[in-house]
Structures are given as C-alpha cells and as structure tokens.
Amino acid sequence: MTYYDYIAEQVAAGLWTKTQAVFGSYAQTLDFYFRIYNLVLKYEPQKTYGYASRIAANETIYSQIGGDIRIR
C-alpha cells in the first residue's frame, strides 16, 4: 500500500484530518502531494509523454491547489 492509497482511504472514511497527527511535521507535505496527485489523476490519467509540463502550465490546477503560482 502506498501513502497515496492510505491517505485516500483515510479521506474516504473522513479520518484524514485526525490521522495527520501520526505524520507530525510531514502531514502538510503529504496532504499537499496528495492533492496534487489527485489533480494529476483527474487531468492526465494516462500520464502520457509530456504530462508533467502540461500539468505545470495549467493554471486551473494551481487555483485548485490553493497557490498563487503564475506562469509568466
């Protein structure tokens, strides 16, 4: 089982906010990566060649992550 699978189960059960205490200072990072990977699976489920560049250039994804990152 991957961290993603574990977190997905916790989110589905409504326990992720309580479970984050187990991960200590890494909880925010894990949550952030989990949210990013969910968006990758949503927008690029096939993960074909060049998907990382397309994800990085997609401002819709940045708005859903919650960051104010802009490609200029």
Coordinates of all heavy atoms in Angstrom, one line a residue:
M1 N 0.9 -1.2 0.0 CA 0.0 0.0 0.0 C 0.9 1.2 0.0 O 1.8 1.3 0.8 CB -0.9 0.0 1.2 CG -1.7 1.2 1.4 SD -2.8 1.2 2.9 CE -4.2 0.4 2.2
T2 N 0.6 2.2 -0.9 CA 1.3 3.4 -1.0 C 0.7 4.4 0.0 O -0.4 4.3 0.5 CB 1.3 4.0 -2.4 OG1 -0.1 4.3 -2.7 CG2 1.8 3.0 -3.4
Y3 N 1.5 5.5 0.2 CA 1.0 6.6 1.0 C -0.3 7.2 0.4 O -1.2 7.5 1.1 CB 2.0 7.7 1.2 CG 3.1 7.5 2.2 CD1 4.4 7.4 1.9 CD2 2.7 7.3 3.6 CE1 5.4 7.1 2.8 CE2 3.7 7.1 4.5 CZ 5.0 7.0 4.2 OH 5.9 6.8 5.1
Y4 N -0.3 7.3 -0.9 CA -1.5 7.8 -1.6 C -2.7 6.9 -1.3 O -3.8 7.4 -1.0 CB -1.3 7.8 -3.1 CG -2.5 8.3 -3.8 CD1 -2.8 9.6 -3.9 CD2 -3.4 7.4 -4.4 CE1 -4.0 10.0 -4.5 CE2 -4.5 7.8 -5.1 CZ -4.8 9.1 -5.1 OH -6.0 9.5 -5.7
D5 N -2.5 5.6 -1.4 CA -3.7 4.7 -1.1 C -4.1 4.8 0.3 O -5.3 4.8 0.6 CB -3.3 3.2 -1.4 CG -3.0 2.9 -2.8 OD1 -3.5 3.6 -3.7 OD2 -2.1 2.0 -3.1
Y6 N -3.2 4.9 1.2 CA -3.5 5.1 2.7 C -4.3 6.4 2.9 O -5.3 6.3 3.6 CB -2.2 5.0 3.5 CG -2.5 5.2 5.0 CD1 -3.0 4.2 5.8 CD2 -2.2 6.5 5.6 CE1 -3.2 4.4 7.1 CE2 -2.5 6.7 6.9 CZ -3.0 5.6 7.7 OH -3.2 5.8 9.0
I7 N -3.8 7.4 2.4 CA -4.4 8.7 2.6 C -5.8 8.7 1.9 O -6.8 9.2 2.5 CB -3.6 9.9 2.1 CG1 -2.3 10.0 2.9 CG2 -4.3 11.2 2.1 CD1 -1.2 10.9 2.4
A8 N -5.9 8.1 0.7 CA -7.2 8.1 0.0 C -8.2 7.3 0.9 O -9.4 7.8 1.0 CB -7.1 7.4 -1.3
E9 N -7.8 6.3 1.5 CA -8.7 5.5 2.4 C -9.1 6.4 3.6 O -10.3 6.4 4.0 CB -8.1 4.2 2.9 CG -8.0 3.2 1.8 CD -7.4 1.9 2.3 OE1 -7.2 1.7 3.6 OE2 -7.2 0.9 1.5
Q10 N -8.2 7.1 4.2 CA -8.5 8.0 5.3 C -9.4 9.1 4.9 O -10.3 9.4 5.7 CB -7.2 8.5 5.9 CG -6.3 7.5 6.5 CD -6.9 6.8 7.7 OE1 -7.4 7.4 8.6 NE2 -6.9 5.5 7.6
V11 N -9.2 9.7 3.7 CA -10.1 10.8 3.3 C -11.5 10.2 3.0 O -12.5 10.8 3.4 CB -9.5 11.4 2.0 CG1 -10.5 12.3 1.3 CG2 -8.2 12.1 2.3
A12 N -11.6 9.0 2.4 CA -12.9 8.4 2.1 C -13.6 8.1 3.4 O -14.9 8.3 3.5 CB -12.7 7.2 1.3
A13 N -12.9 7.8 4.5 CA -13.5 7.4 5.7 C -13.8 8.7 6.6 O -14.4 8.6 7.7 CB -12.7 6.4 6.5
G14 N -13.3 9.8 6.1 CA -13.5 11.1 6.9 C -12.5 11.2 8.1 O -12.8 11.9 9.0
L15 N -11.4 10.5 8.0 CA -10.5 10.4 9.2 C -9.1 11.1 8.9 O -8.3 11.2 9.8 CB -10.2 9.0 9.6 CG -11.4 8.1 10.0 CD1 -11.0 6.7 10.2 CD2 -12.0 8.7 11.3
W16 N -8.9 11.6 7.7 CA -7.6 12.1 7.4 C -7.2 13.3 8.3 O -6.0 13.4 8.7 CB -7.6 12.6 5.9 CG -6.3 13.2 5.5 CD1 -6.1 14.4 4.8 CD2 -4.9 12.7 5.7 NE1 -4.8 14.6 4.6 CE2 -4.1 13.6 5.1 CE3 -4.4 11.5 6.2 CZ2 -2.7 13.4 5.1 CZ3 -3.0 11.4 6.3 CH2 -2.2 12.3 5.7
T17 N -8.1 14.2 8.6 CA -7.7 15.3 9.4 C -7.2 14.9 10.8 O -6.3 15.5 11.4 CB -8.8 16.3 9.6 OG1 -10.0 15.7 10.1 CG2 -9.2 17.0 8.3
K18 N -7.8 13.8 11.3 CA -7.4 13.3 12.6 C -6.1 12.4 12.5 O -5.3 12.4 13.4 CB -8.5 12.4 13.2 CG -9.7 13.3 13.6 CD -10.8 12.4 14.1 CE -12.0 13.3 14.3 NZ -13.2 12.5 14.7
T19 N -6.0 11.7 11.4 CA -4.8 10.9 11.2 C -3.5 11.6 10.9 O -2.4 11.1 11.1 CB -5.1 9.9 10.0 OG1 -6.3 9.3 10.2 CG2 -4.0 8.9 9.8
Q20 N -3.6 12.9 10.5 CA -2.5 13.7 10.2 C -1.5 13.8 11.4 O -0.3 14.0 11.2 CB -2.9 15.1 9.7 CG -3.4 15.0 8.3 CD -3.8 16.4 7.8 OE1 -3.4 17.4 8.4 NE2 -4.5 16.5 6.7
A21 N -2.0 13.7 12.6 CA -1.2 13.8 13.8 C -0.1 12.7 13.8 O 1.0 12.9 14.3 CB -2.1 13.7 15.0
V22 N -0.4 11.6 13.2 CA 0.6 10.5 13.1 C 1.8 10.9 12.3 O 2.9 10.4 12.7 CB -0.1 9.2 12.5 CG1 0.9 8.1 12.3 CG2 -1.2 8.8 13.4
F23 N 1.7 11.7 11.3 CA 2.8 12.1 10.5 C 3.6 13.3 10.9 O 4.6 13.6 10.3 CB 2.2 12.3 9.0 CG 1.7 11.1 8.4 CD1 0.3 10.9 8.3 CD2 2.5 10.1 7.9 CE1 -0.2 9.7 7.7 CE2 2.0 9.0 7.3 CZ 0.7 8.8 7.2
G24 N 3.1 13.9 12.0 CA 3.8 15.0 12.5 C 4.0 16.2 11.5 O 3.1 16.6 10.8
S25 N 5.3 16.6 11.4 CA 5.6 17.7 10.5 C 5.4 17.4 9.1 O 5.4 18.3 8.2 CB 7.0 18.3 10.8 OG 7.9 17.2 10.5
Y26 N 5.4 16.1 8.7 CA 5.2 15.7 7.3 C 3.8 15.7 6.8 O 3.5 15.6 5.6 CB 5.8 14.4 7.1 CG 7.3 14.3 7.4 CD1 7.8 13.6 8.5 CD2 8.2 14.9 6.6 CE1 9.1 13.5 8.8 CE2 9.6 14.9 6.8 CZ 10.0 14.2 7.9 OH 11.3 14.1 8.2
A27 N 2.9 15.9 7.7 CA 1.4 15.9 7.4 C 1.1 16.9 6.3 O 0.3 16.6 5.4 CB 0.6 16.1 8.6
Q28 N 1.5 18.1 6.4 CA 1.2 19.1 5.5 C 1.7 18.8 4.1 O 1.1 19.0 3.1 CB 1.7 20.5 5.9 CG 0.9 21.1 7.0 CD 1.4 22.5 7.3 OE1 2.6 22.8 7.3 NE2 0.5 23.4 7.6
T29 N 3.0 18.3 4.1 CA 3.6 17.9 2.8 C 2.8 16.8 2.2 O 2.5 16.8 1.0 CB 5.1 17.5 3.0 OG1 5.7 18.6 3.6 CG2 5.7 17.2 1.7
L30 N 2.5 15.8 2.9 CA 1.8 14.6 2.4 C 0.4 15.1 1.9 O 0.0 14.6 0.8 CB 1.6 13.6 3.5 CG 2.8 12.7 3.8 CD1 2.5 11.8 5.0 CD2 3.2 11.9 2.6
D31 N -0.3 15.9 2.6 CA -1.6 16.4 2.2 C -1.4 17.2 0.9 O -2.3 17.0 0.0 CB -2.2 17.3 3.3 CG -3.6 17.7 2.9 OD1 -4.5 16.8 2.7 OD2 -3.9 18.9 2.8
F32 N -0.4 18.0 0.8 CA -0.2 18.8 -0.4 C 0.1 17.9 -1.6 O -0.5 18.0 -2.7 CB 1.0 19.8 -0.2 CG 1.2 20.7 -1.4 CD1 0.4 21.7 -1.7 CD2 2.4 20.5 -2.1 CE1 0.6 22.5 -2.8 CE2 2.7 21.4 -3.2 CZ 1.8 22.4 -3.5
Y33 N 1.0 16.9 -1.5 CA 1.3 16.0 -2.5 C 0.1 15.1 -2.9 O -0.2 14.8 -4.1 CB 2.4 15.1 -2.2 CG 3.8 15.7 -2.1 CD1 4.8 15.2 -1.4 CD2 4.0 16.9 -2.8 CE1 6.1 15.8 -1.4 CE2 5.2 17.5 -2.8 CZ 6.3 17.0 -2.1 OH 7.5 17.6 -2.1
F34 N -0.7 14.8 -1.9 CA -2.0 14.0 -2.2 C -2.9 14.8 -3.1 O -3.5 14.3 -4.0 CB -2.6 13.6 -0.9 CG -3.9 12.9 -1.0 CD1 -4.0 11.6 -1.4 CD2 -5.1 13.6 -0.9 CE1 -5.2 10.9 -1.6 CE2 -6.4 12.9 -1.0 CZ -6.4 11.6 -1.4
R35 N -3.1 16.1 -2.7 CA -4.0 16.9 -3.5 C -3.4 17.1 -5.0 O -4.2 17.1 -5.9 CB -4.2 18.3 -2.9 CG -5.0 18.2 -1.6 CD -5.3 19.5 -1.0 NE -4.1 20.1 -0.4 CZ -3.7 21.4 -0.6 NH1 -4.4 22.2 -1.3 NH2 -2.6 21.8 0.0
I36 N -2.1 17.3 -5.1 CA -1.5 17.4 -6.4 C -1.8 16.1 -7.2 O -2.2 16.2 -8.4 CB 0.0 17.7 -6.4 CG1 0.1 19.2 -5.9 CG2 0.6 17.6 -7.7 CD1 1.6 19.5 -5.6
Y37 N -1.5 15.0 -6.6 CA -1.6 13.7 -7.4 C -3.1 13.4 -7.7 O -3.4 12.9 -8.8 CB -1.1 12.5 -6.5 CG -0.9 11.3 -7.4 CD1 0.0 11.3 -8.5 CD2 -1.6 10.2 -7.1 CE1 0.2 10.2 -9.3 CE2 -1.4 9.0 -7.9 CZ -0.5 9.1 -9.0 OH -0.4 8.0 -9.8
N38 N -4.0 13.8 -6.9 CA -5.4 13.7 -7.3 C -5.7 14.5 -8.5 O -6.5 14.1 -9.4 CB -6.4 14.2 -6.1 CG -6.7 13.2 -5.2 OD1 -6.7 12.0 -5.5 ND2 -7.0 13.6 -4.0
L39 N -5.2 15.7 -8.6 CA -5.4 16.6 -9.8 C -4.7 16.0 -11.0 O -5.2 16.0 -12.1 CB -4.9 18.0 -9.5 CG -5.7 18.7 -8.5 CD1 -5.0 20.0 -8.1 CD2 -7.1 19.0 -9.0
V40 N -3.5 15.4 -10.8 CA -2.8 14.7 -12.0 C -3.7 13.6 -12.5 O -3.9 13.4 -13.7 CB -1.5 14.2 -11.5 CG1 -0.9 13.2 -12.6 CG2 -0.5 15.3 -11.3
L41 N -4.3 12.8 -11.6 CA -5.2 11.7 -12.0 C -6.4 12.2 -12.7 O -7.0 11.5 -13.5 CB -5.5 10.8 -10.8 CG -4.4 10.0 -10.2 CD1 -4.9 9.3 -8.9 CD2 -3.8 9.0 -11.2
K42 N -6.9 13.4 -12.3 CA -8.1 13.9 -12.9 C -7.8 14.5 -14.3 O -8.6 14.2 -15.2 CB -8.6 15.0 -12.0 CG -9.8 15.7 -12.5 CD -10.3 16.8 -11.6 CE -11.5 17.6 -12.1 NZ -11.9 18.7 -11.2
Y43 N -6.7 15.2 -14.4 CA -6.5 15.9 -15.7 C -5.6 15.1 -16.7 O -5.6 15.3 -17.9 CB -5.8 17.3 -15.4 CG -6.8 18.3 -14.9 CD1 -6.8 18.5 -13.5 CD2 -7.7 18.9 -15.7 CE1 -7.7 19.4 -13.0 CE2 -8.6 19.8 -15.1 CZ -8.6 20.1 -13.8 OH -9.5 21.0 -13.3
E44 N -4.8 14.2 -16.2 CA -3.8 13.4 -17.0 C -3.8 12.0 -16.6 O -2.8 11.5 -16.2 CB -2.4 14.0 -16.9 CG -2.3 15.4 -17.5 CD -2.2 15.4 -19.0 OE1 -2.0 14.3 -19.7 OE2 -2.4 16.5 -19.6
P45 N -5.0 11.3 -16.6 CA -5.0 9.9 -16.0 C -4.1 8.9 -16.8 O -3.6 8.0 -16.2 CB -6.5 9.5 -16.2 CG -7.0 10.4 -17.2 CD -6.2 11.7 -17.1
Q46 N -3.8 9.2 -18.1 CA -3.0 8.3 -18.9 C -1.5 8.6 -18.6 O -0.7 7.7 -18.9 CB -3.3 8.4 -20.4 CG -4.8 8.1 -20.7 CD -5.2 6.7 -20.3 OE1 -4.4 5.8 -20.4 NE2 -6.4 6.6 -19.8
K47 N -1.2 9.7 -18.1 CA 0.2 10.2 -17.9 C 1.1 9.9 -19.1 O 2.1 9.4 -19.0 CB 0.8 9.5 -16.7 CG 0.1 9.9 -15.4 CD 0.8 9.3 -14.2 CE -0.3 8.6 -13.4 NZ 0.2 7.7 -12.4
T48 N 0.6 10.4 -20.3 CA 1.3 10.2 -21.5 C 2.5 11.2 -21.5 O 2.7 12.1 -20.7 CB 0.4 10.5 -22.7 OG1 -0.1 11.8 -22.6 CG2 -0.7 9.5 -22.8
Y49 N 3.4 11.0 -22.5 CA 4.6 11.8 -22.6 C 4.3 13.3 -22.5 O 3.4 13.8 -23.2 CB 5.3 11.5 -23.9 CG 6.6 12.2 -24.1 CD1 7.8 11.8 -23.4 CD2 6.6 13.4 -24.9 CE1 8.9 12.6 -23.6 CE2 7.8 14.1 -25.0 CZ 9.0 13.7 -24.4 OH 10.1 14.4 -24.5
G50 N 5.0 14.0 -21.7 CA 4.9 15.4 -21.5 C 3.8 15.9 -20.5 O 3.5 17.0 -20.4
Y51 N 3.2 14.9 -19.8 CA 2.1 15.3 -18.9 C 2.6 16.2 -17.8 O 1.8 17.1 -17.4 CB 1.4 14.1 -18.3 CG 2.1 13.5 -17.1 CD1 1.7 13.8 -15.8 CD2 3.1 12.5 -17.2 CE1 2.3 13.3 -14.7 CE2 3.7 12.0 -16.1 CZ 3.3 12.4 -14.9 OH 3.9 11.8 -13.8
A52 N 3.8 16.1 -17.3 CA 4.3 17.0 -16.2 C 4.3 18.4 -16.7 O 3.9 19.4 -16.0 CB 5.6 16.5 -15.8
S53 N 4.8 18.7 -17.9 CA 4.8 20.0 -18.5 C 3.4 20.6 -18.6 O 3.2 21.8 -18.4 CB 5.5 20.0 -19.8 OG 6.8 19.6 -19.7
R54 N 2.5 19.8 -19.1 CA 1.1 20.2 -19.3 C 0.5 20.5 -17.9 O -0.3 21.5 -17.7 CB 0.3 19.2 -20.0 CG 0.6 19.1 -21.5 CD -0.4 18.2 -22.2 NE -0.4 16.8 -21.7 CZ 0.4 15.9 -22.1 NH1 1.3 16.1 -23.0 NH2 0.2 14.6 -21.7
I55 N 0.7 19.7 -16.9 CA 0.2 20.0 -15.6 C 0.8 21.3 -15.0 O 0.1 22.1 -14.5 CB 0.6 18.8 -14.6 CG1 -0.2 17.6 -15.0 CG2 0.4 19.2 -13.2 CD1 -1.7 17.6 -14.6
A56 N 2.1 21.5 -15.2 CA 2.8 22.7 -14.7 C 2.3 23.9 -15.4 O 2.3 25.0 -14.8 CB 4.3 22.6 -14.9
A57 N 1.8 23.8 -16.6 CA 1.3 25.0 -17.3 C -0.2 25.3 -17.2 O -0.7 26.2 -17.7 CB 1.6 24.9 -18.8
N58 N -0.9 24.4 -16.4 CA -2.3 24.5 -16.3 C -2.7 25.4 -15.0 O -2.6 24.9 -13.9 CB -2.9 23.1 -16.1 CG -4.4 23.1 -16.2 OD1 -5.1 24.1 -15.9 ND2 -4.9 22.0 -16.6
E59 N -3.1 26.6 -15.3 CA -3.5 27.5 -14.2 C -4.7 27.0 -13.4 O -4.9 27.4 -12.2 CB -3.7 28.9 -14.7 CG -2.4 29.6 -15.1 CD -2.5 31.1 -15.2 OE1 -3.3 31.7 -14.5 OE2 -1.7 31.6 -16.1
T60 N -5.6 26.3 -14.0 CA -6.7 25.7 -13.3 C -6.3 24.8 -12.2 O -6.9 24.8 -11.1 CB -7.6 24.9 -14.3 OG1 -8.0 25.7 -15.4 CG2 -8.8 24.4 -13.6
I61 N -5.2 24.1 -12.4 CA -4.7 23.2 -11.4 C -4.2 24.0 -10.2 O -4.4 23.7 -9.1 CB -3.7 22.2 -12.0 CG1 -4.4 21.2 -12.9 CG2 -2.9 21.5 -10.9 CD1 -3.4 20.3 -13.6
Y62 N -3.4 25.1 -10.5 CA -2.9 25.9 -9.5 C -4.0 26.5 -8.6 O -3.8 26.6 -7.4 CB -2.0 27.0 -10.0 CG -0.7 26.5 -10.6 CD1 -0.3 26.7 -11.9 CD2 0.2 25.7 -9.7 CE1 0.9 26.2 -12.4 CE2 1.4 25.2 -10.2 CZ 1.7 25.5 -11.5 OH 2.9 25.0 -12.0
S63 N -5.1 26.9 -9.3 CA -6.1 27.5 -8.5 C -6.8 26.5 -7.6 O -7.3 26.8 -6.5 CB -7.2 28.1 -9.4 OG -7.9 27.1 -10.1
Q64 N -6.8 25.2 -8.0 CA -7.4 24.2 -7.1 C -6.5 23.7 -6.0 O -6.9 23.3 -5.0 CB -7.8 23.0 -8.0 CG -9.0 23.3 -8.9 CD -9.3 22.1 -9.8 OE1 -9.0 21.0 -9.5 NE2 -10.0 22.4 -10.9
I65 N -5.2 23.9 -6.3 CA -4.2 23.5 -5.2 C -4.3 24.6 -4.1 O -4.1 24.3 -2.9 CB -2.8 23.5 -5.8 CG1 -2.6 22.3 -6.7 CG2 -1.7 23.4 -4.7 CD1 -1.3 22.2 -7.5
G66 N -4.5 25.8 -4.5 CA -4.6 26.9 -3.5 C -3.5 27.8 -3.5 O -3.4 28.7 -2.7
G67 N -2.6 27.6 -4.5 CA -1.4 28.5 -4.6 C -1.7 29.7 -5.5 O -2.6 29.6 -6.3
D68 N -0.8 30.7 -5.4 CA -0.9 31.8 -6.3 C 0.2 31.8 -7.3 O 0.8 32.8 -7.7 CB -0.9 33.1 -5.5 CG -2.2 33.3 -4.7 OD1 -3.2 32.8 -5.1 OD2 -2.1 33.9 -3.6
I69 N 0.5 30.6 -7.8 CA 1.7 30.5 -8.7 C 1.2 30.9 -10.1 O 0.1 30.4 -10.6 CB 2.2 29.0 -8.7 CG1 2.6 28.7 -7.3 CG2 3.3 28.9 -9.7 CD1 2.9 27.2 -7.1
R70 N 1.9 31.7 -10.8 CA 1.6 32.1 -12.2 C 2.8 31.8 -13.1 O 3.9 32.1 -12.8 CB 1.3 33.6 -12.2 CG 0.1 34.0 -11.4 CD -1.2 33.9 -12.2 NE -2.2 34.5 -11.4 CZ -3.3 33.8 -11.2 NH1 -3.5 32.6 -11.6 NH2 -4.3 34.4 -10.5
I71 N 2.5 31.2 -14.2 CA 3.5 31.0 -15.3 C 3.6 32.3 -16.0 O 2.6 32.8 -16.5 CB 3.1 29.8 -16.2 CG1 2.8 28.6 -15.4 CG2 4.2 29.6 -17.3 CD1 4.0 27.9 -14.8
R72 N 4.8 32.9 -16.2 CA 4.9 34.1 -16.9 C 6.0 34.0 -17.9 O 6.9 33.3 -17.9 CB 5.3 35.2 -15.9 CG 4.2 35.5 -15.0 CD 4.5 36.6 -14.0 NE 3.4 36.5 -13.1 CZ 3.0 37.4 -12.4 NH1 3.5 38.6 -12.4 NH2 2.0 37.2 -11.5

